[in-house]
Amino acid sequence: MGRGTTARASGGTRSWDRVDPGMKQSPSGGQDLSLVEQLLGARHRVKPFLYLLRSYYYSHFTDRAAEPRAASCLAQGPAANQVAEPGSELRSCLEMLLLLLILLLLLLLLLLGLLLPLASLRQRQLQGARPSWLAGLQHRVAGVALHGAAAWQQRRLEQSTLHAGQSQQHALRLCLQGAQRPPCPLTGATDTSAFRNHLPLTKASQAQEEESRGQELPPTSTQYYGEVSLQATLLGLAALNKAYPEVLAPGGTARVTPTSPWPHPLPWPWHALGQVSTPGAKHPGTLLQEALRSPGLRALEAGTAVELLDVFLGLEANGEELAEAVAAGNPGRAAELREALEQGPRGLALRLWPKLQVVVTLDAGGQAEAVAALGALWCQGLAFFSPAYATTGGVVGLSLWPEQPRGLYLLPPGAPFIELLPVKEGAQEEAASTVLLAEAQKGEEYELVLTNHTSLTRCRLGDVVQVVGAHNQCPVVRFVRRLGQGLNVRGEDIQEDTFSEALGRAVGQWPGAKLLDHSCVESSILDSSEGSAPHYEVFVALRGLRNLSEENRDKLDHCLQEVSPRYKSLRFRGSVGPARVHLLGQGAFRELRATLATCPSSPFPPEMPRVLRQRHLAQCLQRRVVS
């Protein structure tokens, strides 16, 4: 828990010392939520339980009723006139009884959620900051609840993946049922074939144009609502607890960014599992200080890997200020912090938290580079775990195997409705029909097509996956590239994974250099090709190299020619100029991400764009060039 006071310099309050305005000062000096805030918060803690109840209700009681409603945009099928099966009334009575039992359980949980804040506040008033028996009780309740909820979600996932076709049909029905802007009336039954045959595919750029005309698009956030996001959170917590049992012990986990790696907000009582952060804390300085005050951490959480990279870079830049803030309540811990920082970035996390086992971040496009940098430097020797793979449209992949290599995800058959568009070499623009999850072939590459409850747009996300295996009838994939992050000034079409390979080769030839971040801009965006052939402007952030020689800059262009014969041919003819590499100063990409976060149409978070298409974003980096 954070201390009630923060250190102040002689000249005033520093940015790292500011306390989150949402926090209240308790008489004992701890930053705790007020009683009123806790009571009001209890009302929101059961919302995920209500969502589970609603999902159960729709899946068991409204399957037949959903057809007429979905038929507002698709004509009714023959299922509307089905006759009730024998014994259906008895089954309905049993299901209603089960529903009443679930309601009773929810009421008990709500009552406990209201009583615990009152009792815990009284306990703190009587005992100060000492651990209370209520905290232990709440943690045990959370553990039991997590085990039960995760087991239930695991059974549901197993059943849905065993019957992927039926599950996707149900997911589509839910999307049709909740669509806010249904398309023009269609003919045919409410099944996946009719839906795919009558609605055209839409690219993400076209979807953004529709947004400007008033059509709602998927939210750009690291937290989502829906069955798959809740599955990812509960199953991810259970998998993490199984692989690292001490992570969810009291005081075992700290989050150091305002955003969370868990796709669905953690409801009560699970918010009590392991967290040392004060509930409701949002200020980055407050979160980092509380983590630094807890040397016994087992897990470190951050919204995404690039955000965690910014945290460690900021920790190095503001280490002395943070040490002074920590020294206000624990001088010994401040001395440990200074000593750890003096030894450099490599292995810093384990020096700060000797018991640390795992780093938890949410995976998304453009994060692999940051994961590699963290693993090679600050988080060396630690495991990385992501509960899911997220795009701007929602959670599309579940990570169920922490012990497996990072980057393998199961595509679940629940909502949102996912289709797979085959990707052929050199034929991405050709029209092709999509396949469902059960029809995916191992070794093939597909572009994800997403339909969710906010609209009935079959949106091509641009995320390309390769099928590497299967779980029951659903594919296990790894994400390969994003089609919207390619470079193309003369038809050479350098895709994201191809450029990353070339850049990695080039940096490997720069003595002592470690790549932290990069972004590319086509020369036409910055008008930098006047009097020369069009080319790429490449902005990089490095560790271990302060200046780039012309020889090192040219190595990137040579590596691009090695990985792309088309690019080599255009360079030989002079149709494309050599790539220009610029070294950026510290904090340049943090500033870029802050700018991206303020743009409503930006995919960050969670995705990090590697090719900038807007002039003001490119100029944001251009101003920070140091070499």
Side-chain angles (χ1 to χ4, degrees), residues 30 34 120 161 167 233 242 248 257 262 394 404 436 486 545 590 599:
S34 67
S120 60
T161 55
S167 300
T233 299
K242 182 179 179 181
L248 298 184
T257 60
W262 303 104
Q404 296 294 327
L436 298 180
L545 195 63
R590 183 167 62 247
C599 299

Side-chain angles (χ1 to χ4, degrees), residues 12 32 75 187 219 286:
D32 299 309
T187 59
T286 301

Side-chain angles (χ1 to χ4, degrees), residues 384-395:
F384 282 79
F385 174 70
S386 171
Y389 190 96
T391 68
T392 53
V395 174

Side-chain angles (χ1 to χ4, degrees), residues 11 122 154 169 249 266 324 368 507 564-565 576 596:
R122 178 61 178 169
Q154 184 67 47
Q169 174 70 56
L266 288 175
E324 292 180 8
V507 174
S564 174
V576 174
L596 287 170

Side-chain angles (χ1 to χ4, degrees), residues 93-112:
C93 292
L94 293 176
E95 290 174 341
M96 184 60 69
L97 179 61
L98 178 60
L99 182 63
L100 292 175
L101 291 175
I102 294 176
L103 281 172
L104 180 60
L105 177 61
L106 288 175
L107 290 175
L108 291 175
L109 289 173
L110 177 59
L111 180 61
L112 188 57

